[in-house]
Amino acid sequence: MSASSQASSPTIMILDDEQIVRRALKMGLERSGYRVLTAENFKQFTQVMQDCDAVLCDIILPGNNGLQALKWARENFPNTPVIMMTGKPTVETAAEAMRFGAFDYLPKPVQKNDLLLTLQRAIQHRQLVLDKARLEAENESYRQQLENQVEEKSQALQESQEFLTTLTNTMADAVFSIRLPDYKIEYVNQAVSTIFGYQPAELLGQSFDRLFIDANGFAVYHQKINAAIEQDRAQTQVELPMLQKDATSIMTEVVSTFICREGEAYPQIISVVRDVTQRSFLLGVVAHELRNPLGLVTGFVHVLLSEVQTMDRESLEKYLGVISEHTSHMLAMLDGLLDVTKIEFGEVALDIRPENVVPLLARLTEEHKILAKDKNITLQFVPEKPELVCACDPTKVGEVLANLIDNAIKYSNPDTIVQIVARSHNSGVWVGVKDQGSGINPQEIQHVFKGFSHKKVSTRPTAGERSTGLGLAICKRIIEAHGGQIGVESVPGQGSTFWFTLPNGEQQKPGDSAR
């Protein structure tokens, strides 16, 4: 009997050598209604571990590392999902963890909302696995009991098939039943419409290869299937890009299970496809959203180091105050990592209230002058009047404007001017950031707000600055969540004006979440 059946609350096992991390995770999970077990090393983990609902495991452990603990847990408790934690997330660590059978992994410090969301998915996944095993056992029992009763057996199998269909249609992952050797799709659940944009009926009878970007991508999947069949393995897993109905590429994890039937030359394939694009997105967002405040802090620290001997106390306090404010802002940004997840799902939690945006825009302009100074770029703030009020979340709007100013500095030539303009607009506010850079080709403007577009914009930063390409996509979702609009006007060789509007608040009430 599993731990979850012995207690009313799901049981979570935590393996981490840092006592403060164990305590913080244990306290947070218990407050959220979980039962928690803990271990500080691999040996203690093997002694305490039981068939619980999920495991949180640190990758870096003294002696026996977290990957060994992961491997041990997968061998001894194959139905318990293991979520890895690491303070230095990379594509390599993620790939290695997934290769050893990890369900997912989280960057440290682990944020509560992100943790709870991942645990919920892991527990649901475990329950589906257990339900599947139970249903397979029941089906076998039915087969043995009703072997000589053809009519009753057919009815039982039909009921079981209907139940399995209902079960798979509740899953967030796309489930395909594929027939070899031509890879024809015989069944697909409703999740295919969310992940790929197709209705299930559109794919029935089609070849599975139509969902791949090209022949090479399908060849990788085909080789994995053949190798697993030749080695008599029951399951295989592969990560590869696939294609949505609108020709957008996504990164997927495909887990395929083989069902062999007596008298048939080829096994049936059940492939479960999960959209894992968000993993890379989250890592990119964290790096991107921390870069702006880190750049400002670095700029002020540089000034302090070079002028501290001659700086008066008032200036020193001002600079340290800005540094303190932005370090606090970075911590708050990490605490709000769930907001980034909601952005990817098209949902942004907003704290909307009436706000005069002029002081906010003036402050951000002043703070970015440190970065602009390195390229001798002049920042000018041009408000139409001292008070421009709209309904907005000032923190989110500040993130949008900081991103637009930072981009204007990156893509402007030295000794130029960047203007931040604000004026009334349909009872709301219009804000624009105008640079004197190289501009954007008209054919490429439609791609600048697409965070995962495979079509890149040819314009490059003028001093070799780095850009993730995710910032404008985030800005677009934030502004649209406010009920506003965002866009760009650009003339090649003459510069660009990135702008956004904020409504007067009638479209959305304070505290609402926008989809």
Side-chain angles (χ1 to χ4, degrees):
M1 182 179 294
S2 71
S4 59
S5 62
Q6 297 174 5
S8 59
S9 302
T11 301
I12 308 300
M13 178 73 203
I14 299 173
L15 172 57
D16 199 298
D17 60 327
E18 297 184 52
Q19 186 180 28
I20 188 171
V21 174
R22 292 198 307 275
R23 287 182 176 177
L25 289 173
K26 186 174 187 295
M27 182 180 300
L29 290 176
E30 287 179 342
R31 287 177 178 174
S32 298
Y34 290 90
R35 176 173 172 261
V36 180
L37 306 173
T38 63
E40 64 179 309
N41 53 50
F42 178 79
K43 181 178 180 181
Q44 189 179 47
F45 174 69
T46 60
Q47 296 170 346
V48 176
M49 177 61 181
Q50 57 184 257
D51 189 16
C52 53
D53 293 276
V55 175
L56 294 171
C57 179
D58 190 10
I59 288 183
I60 307 300
L61 293 173
N64 301 99
N65 63 34
L67 292 178
Q68 183 174 348
L70 166 62
K71 185 177 180 181
W72 182 89
R74 299 301 298 143
E75 291 174 352
N76 292 275
F77 301 92
N79 292 329
T80 299
V82 181
I83 301 167
M84 306 304 291
M85 302 180 295
T86 175
K88 298 180 178 179
T90 65
V91 173
E92 289 74 17
T93 57
E96 190 171 16
M98 296 305 166
R99 184 169 60 85
F100 278 88
F103 175 79
D104 209 337
Y105 83 109
L106 296 170
K108 285 185 175 181
V110 178
Q111 305 306 311
K112 181 180 178 181
N113 288 334
D114 197 18
L115 171 63
L116 294 179
L117 181 63
T118 303
L119 282 176
Q120 182 182 9
R121 290 194 301 103
I123 293 172
Q124 290 175 347
H125 175 79
R126 167 185 163 86
Q127 191 58 51
L128 287 172
V129 171
L130 294 176
D131 285 345
K132 180 176 180 293
R134 175 179 60 80
L135 288 169
E136 290 176 344
E138 290 177 357
N139 284 338
E140 178 61 18
S141 176
Y142 291 152
R143 189 191 68 80
Q144 293 176 359
Q145 293 175 19
L146 305 176
E147 185 174 5
N148 298 319
Q149 305 173 34
V150 176
E151 183 177 353
E152 293 182 23
K153 175 182 177 182
S154 299
Q155 182 180 357
L157 289 174
Q158 181 179 358
E159 292 175 355
S160 177
Q161 181 62 43
E162 291 174 353
F163 185 84
L164 285 171
T165 299
T166 302
L167 182 65
T168 58
N169 280 334
T170 65
M171 295 176 61
D173 301 331
V175 180
F176 293 86
S177 175
I178 301 168
R179 176 67 61 184
L180 294 177
D182 51 7
Y183 287 90
K184 284 291 189 297
I185 299 172
E186 295 187 330
Y187 169 79
V188 61
N189 67 343
Q190 290 294 332
V192 72
S193 62
T194 302
I195 295 178
F196 290 100
Y198 290 98
Q199 292 302 315
E202 294 181 82
L203 294 177
L204 293 179
Q206 301 294 314
S207 176
F208 193 51
D209 64 2
R210 72 175 296 173
L211 296 175
F212 290 81
I213 292 178
D214 52 31
N216 291 332
F218 179 71
V220 172
Y221 172 79
H222 175 67
Q223 290 167 5
K224 278 277 187 178
I225 296 295
N226 283 346
I229 294 175
E230 290 173 2
Q231 297 168 16
D232 199 26
R233 288 190 279 121
Q235 191 176 84
T236 186
Q237 176 180 329
V238 61
E239 285 196 16
L240 37 72
M242 298 183 77
L243 205 61
Q244 294 178 320
K245 184 177 181 179
D246 64 359
T248 300
S249 63
I250 58 172
M251 182 57 66
T252 66
E253 176 187 75
V254 185
V255 178
S256 299
T257 303
F258 308 104
I259 300 177
C260 297
R261 294 177 176 176
E262 186 176 353
E264 296 189 0
Y266 299 97
Q268 184 182 14
I269 302 174
I270 305 297
S271 286
V272 179
V273 181
R274 173 182 296 176
D275 182 355
V276 295
T277 309
Q278 188 187 13
R279 295 175 186 168
S280 298
F281 179 85
L282 289 177
L283 293 176
V285 166
V286 171
H288 183 275
E289 293 303 310
L290 289 179
R291 182 168 292 115
N292 283 338
L294 277 174
L296 288 170
V297 169
T298 302
F300 278 101
V301 169
H302 178 75
V303 173
L304 284 173
L305 290 174
S306 61
E307 300 179 12
V308 68
Q309 299 297 332
T310 59
M311 187 175 297
D312 59 273
R313 182 177 181 83
E314 181 179 353
S315 297
L316 182 61
E317 290 179 350
K318 176 183 176 182
Y319 278 39
L320 290 176
V322 173
I323 292 173
S324 175
E325 178 183 352
H326 282 281
T327 52
S328 298
H329 176 64
M330 285 186 282
L331 290 174
M333 196 178 298
L334 291 174
D335 290 337
L337 184 56
L338 181 60
D339 287 346
V340 178
T341 307
K342 290 182 177 180
I343 288 173
E344 177 61 11
F345 284 109
E347 181 178 336
V348 185
L350 299 174
D351 179 18
I352 293 183
R353 55 182 182 268
E355 183 79 16
N356 177 15
V357 296
V358 172
L360 172 65
L361 304 182
R363 177 175 61 81
L364 288 169
T365 302
E366 190 67 27
E367 291 172 356
H368 279 77
K369 286 182 178 180
I370 292 293
L371 298 179
K373 185 179 180 182
D374 291 339
K375 296 173 72 173
N376 200 29
I377 291 173
T378 301
L379 293 188
Q380 296 178 348
F381 176 42
V382 187
E384 179 185 53
K385 52 186 178 180
E387 188 168 308
L388 293 168
V389 178
C390 62
C392 70
D393 182 328
T395 300
K396 295 295 184 185
V397 172
E399 291 176 17
V400 172
L401 184 65
N403 187 281
L404 298 185
I405 296 176
D406 184 66
N407 281 350
I409 295 172
K410 285 180 182 177
Y411 291 91
S412 291
N413 293 313
D415 304 313
T416 57
I417 297 174
V418 171
Q419 282 190 336
I420 296 88
V421 181
R423 62 173 181 259
S424 299
H425 176 78
N426 294 338
S427 300
V429 174
W430 182 95
V431 178
V433 178
K434 181 178 182 180
D435 64 52
Q436 296 176 342
S438 58
I440 305 170
N441 290 333
Q443 299 86 350
E444 298 175 341
I445 286 181
Q446 60 180 313
H447 304 299
V448 298
F449 293 102
K450 296 179 181 180
F452 289 110
S453 174
H454 64 282
K455 296 181 179 180
K456 303 300 182 182
V457 178
S458 58
T459 307
R460 293 290 178 264
T462 57
E465 298 97 330
R466 298 178 60 186
S467 175
T468 64
L470 296 172
L472 291 177
I474 298 169
C475 292
K476 183 175 187 292
R477 287 174 172 85
I478 290 175
I479 295 302
E480 289 179 347
H482 279 79
Q485 295 180 316
I486 189 169
V488 59
E489 298 170 0
S490 185
V491 178
Q494 298 182 28
S496 305
T497 299
F498 281 84
W499 57 267
F500 61 88
T501 63
L502 295 170
N504 59 12
E506 295 179 358
Q507 293 89 335
Q508 183 167 324
K509 298 178 181 179
D512 284 352
S513 291
R515 287 185 181 274

